Amino acid sequence: MKLQAVESSMIEAVGYDETTSTLEVVFNSGKTYRYFEVPKTVYLELMESDSKGSYMLSNVIDCFPYEQVKKRGR
């Protein structure tokens, strides 16, 4: 999954896999989470949102099944 850097005080990068409806989010804390069963419209709205952190809190976090991803090598 290709991650795209975003302008946000909470989020570093976001990726989306349309085939599996998986949203991957790298937070500025360094933690990475994968959210499952996320419609493409939610991903598109997140990317268009002026406040990605607020959008995540309202529309993604605690709204979809998720897992924390082990840290990737940088």
Side-chain angles (χ1 to χ4, degrees):
M1 177 180 319
K2 185 174 176 166
L3 297 176
Q4 181 178 339
V6 295
E7 290 248 348
S8 170
S9 59
M10 183 175 156
I11 299 166
E12 187 177 313
V14 176
Y16 185 73
D17 184 332
E18 204 169 331
T19 312
T20 61
S21 299
T22 302
L23 178 72
E24 188 166 314
V25 180
V26 181
F27 290 91
N28 289 335
S29 66
K31 293 183 179 176
T32 301
Y33 288 87
R34 276 196 196 116
Y35 298 88
F36 303 102
E37 303 169 24
V38 178
K40 186 176 182 183
T41 53
V42 170
Y43 164 70
L44 295 173
E45 287 171 3
L46 170 63
M47 296 306 283
E48 291 294 317
S49 174
D50 290 333
S51 175
K52 290 171 179 47
S54 293
Y55 187 89
M56 283 291 298
L57 288 168
S58 298
N59 301 286
V60 179
I61 295 171
D62 293 332
C63 296
F64 296 99
Y66 68 92
E67 69 178 6
Q68 185 173 354
V69 180
K70 297 220 187 290
K71 288 194 176 183
R72 301 172 175 223
R74 290 193 178 232

